[in-house]
Amino acid sequence: MKYIDAFRDGTLARKIAAKIAIEINPNRDYYLMEFCGGHTHAISRYGIADLLPDNIHMIHGPGCPVCVLPMGRLENMIQLARMPGVILCSYGDLLRIPTANGHSLLKMKAQGADIRMIYSSAEALKIARQNPQNQVVFLAIGFETTTAPSADVIKQAQTLGLTNFTVFCNHVLTPSAISHILQSPEIRELGLVRLDGFIGPAHVSTIIGSAPYEYFAQEFQKPVVIAGFEPLDVMQAILMLIRQLNDNRAEVENEFTRAVLPFGNLKAQMLVAEVFELRRSFEWRGLGVVPYSALRIKSNFSDFDAEHRFELPSLSIADNKACECGAILRGVKHPRDCKIFGTACTPENPVGSCMVSSEGACAAYYRYGRFREANNHCNKSHMANH
């Protein structure tokens, strides 16, 4: 823990906060989006927002792969679960996302479907080798961080000659989502949000590097600072963004130099390029249909493509009308703006995907922020009455 503790030092955090307070322009507001759910949880867990001046506004982004999974793809997973002889292998967060009619993979499992929670793609391949009489489907999900492991198991399955292993690919791409937020007219119609700069994702950037963000700095004049997930990483990234904005600069800076290189992990990129190709369009929850924002399995690996083998239909299903996940993922609304947050929708009984995932904004705010904010409100009321 000694290497992690150094990035959680409260004294250093307060020193960075003091620098931020000195360097901000009191006559302007700063709107900064942390794209990744890992940053959202760090901000909530460590009370970073409480250390920032009131004119710095942190906006949650769509960087949670479970949260952005659209209802149609989830319904496809339910269809797979209903097929006889199929074993579904899934990461834990996926199991609890409710469909439009209240189903979930966890409920399907309780009804007898063979659904197994795994911690790695390699486990799914192992299950396929151990169960040759079953069709084993790995529910692949995630940004660039988890794409290479999915590509690797597909190549291994081909080498082994497995005929009972397929992948339902839901891998999505970070730069495409950022572009869509900045320039899509459909997103602007759904609600405007001011954005001055981005905290770039850590784990994704270890794969793709810092270079892909140059486009946003140059084309949209939005500074990007790639940051790690520890509280001091986030605080330092905020300070770096403030300095860029004060200097009217729009550059890509790398706070997470201990893990991110300019061009990323070239070996992982080559593996992904061998197995996957771009989809022309893909639906995201909260963002709608985003062009060239997701990956599909190439035709020479189609034997391992669950969409191809099981002829899964393309579905577009509306979200629950009471749920504000879509607006929260776009940064237009805060979890507290949702009428069912903390009442009908809780981590124990989630209505929306933002409450299900360990990286979801609603889950972070419920776990770390809701009660602290309520206590702060009570304390302020108490002080006002005296």
Side-chain angles (χ1 to χ4, degrees), residues 58-378:
M58 301 306 300
I59 300 165
H60 310 315
C64 164
V66 171
C67 300
V68 299
L69 185 72
M71 285 288 189
R73 303 293 286 186
L74 186 60
E75 188 61 39
N76 286 145
M77 295 178 185
I78 298 294
Q79 292 172 344
L80 286 167
R82 290 195 173 110
M83 294 180 183
V86 169
I87 298 174
L88 287 190
C89 296
S90 170
Y91 298 127
D93 281 354
L94 268 179
L95 299 181
R96 298 174 58 244
I97 308 176
T99 63
N101 54 14
H103 290 301
S104 70
L105 291 175
L106 194 61
K107 289 181 179 179
M108 295 298 296
K109 180 176 175 66
Q111 294 171 14
D114 195 343
I115 300 173
R116 306 187 188 185
M117 188 179 77
I118 58 172
Y119 293 94
S120 71
S121 55
E123 286 184 64
L125 192 68
K126 182 179 179 181
I127 290 169
R129 298 183 71 180
Q130 293 173 339
N131 297 272
Q133 73 281 7
N134 294 99
Q135 286 294 323
V136 176
V137 182
F138 169 48
L139 304 180
I141 190 170
F143 288 91
E144 291 88 344
T145 315
T146 55
T147 306
S150 296
D152 186 52
V153 293
I154 290 172
K155 284 198 66 178
Q156 287 187 56
Q158 187 181 64
T159 300
L160 293 167
L162 294 183
T163 59
N164 69 324
F165 178 76
T166 54
V167 173
F168 183 45
C169 179
N170 296 277
H171 287 299
V172 289
L173 305 174
T174 302
S176 302
I178 296 176
S179 290
H180 201 65
I181 290 170
L182 289 172
Q183 66 185 357
S184 168
E186 292 85 3
I187 291 296
R188 289 196 288 272
E189 288 175 7
L190 292 168
L192 292 173
V193 58
R194 178 178 168 184
L195 292 174
D196 294 322
F198 289 91
I199 297 178
H203 294 160
V204 164
S205 301
T206 63
I207 303 298
I208 67 172
S210 58
Y213 304 104
E214 296 287 350
Y215 171 74
F216 308 110
Q218 296 171 7
E219 185 71 16
F220 299 102
Q221 289 297 293
K222 304 292 183 185
V224 179
V225 175
I226 298 163
F229 290 131
E230 296 304 325
L232 292 188
D233 288 319
V234 179
M235 293 289 292
Q236 184 64 26
I238 292 170
L239 177 60
M240 293 165 72
L241 284 170
I242 295 299
R243 287 172 173 170
Q244 283 206 52
L245 292 167
N246 287 348
D247 295 341
N248 291 317
R249 291 184 290 120
E251 302 170 2
V252 176
E253 294 184 307
N254 182 14
E255 183 277 337
F256 199 39
T257 53
R258 61 189 186 274
V260 174
L261 300 172
F263 298 102
N265 186 327
L266 297 178
K267 185 175 181 180
Q269 292 172 28
M270 290 174 63
L271 176 60
V272 169
E274 182 181 356
V275 177
F276 295 108
E277 63 187 5
L278 282 173
R279 296 179 189 262
R280 289 192 174 184
S281 63
F282 190 79
E283 184 180 357
W284 294 51
R285 190 170 190 171
L287 300 185
V289 177
V290 183
Y292 301 105
S293 64
L295 298 174
R296 67 182 179 192
I297 298 170
K298 284 185 172 180
S299 59
N300 52 323
F301 291 96
S302 62
D303 289 346
F304 306 97
D305 186 347
E307 291 181 69
H308 175 76
R309 179 174 297 185
F310 298 101
E311 299 181 346
L312 297 175
S314 178
L315 303 173
S316 183
I317 302 172
D319 289 348
N320 187 307
K321 291 182 179 179
C323 177
E324 295 285 6
C325 271
I328 292 166
L329 288 167
R330 296 192 302 274
V332 175
K333 291 190 176 182
H334 190 276
R336 62 171 171 263
D337 298 324
C338 182
K339 293 179 181 178
I340 60 173
F341 172 82
T343 55
C345 184
T346 65
E348 293 74 27
N349 183 38
V351 174
S353 57
C354 295
M355 187 65 87
V356 173
S357 173
S358 59
E359 294 188 357
C362 293
Y365 188 62
Y366 185 94
R367 183 175 181 182
Y368 301 118
R370 185 165 68 103
F371 300 111
R372 184 173 66 244
E373 181 169 289
N375 290 335
N376 289 343
H377 177 75
C378 291

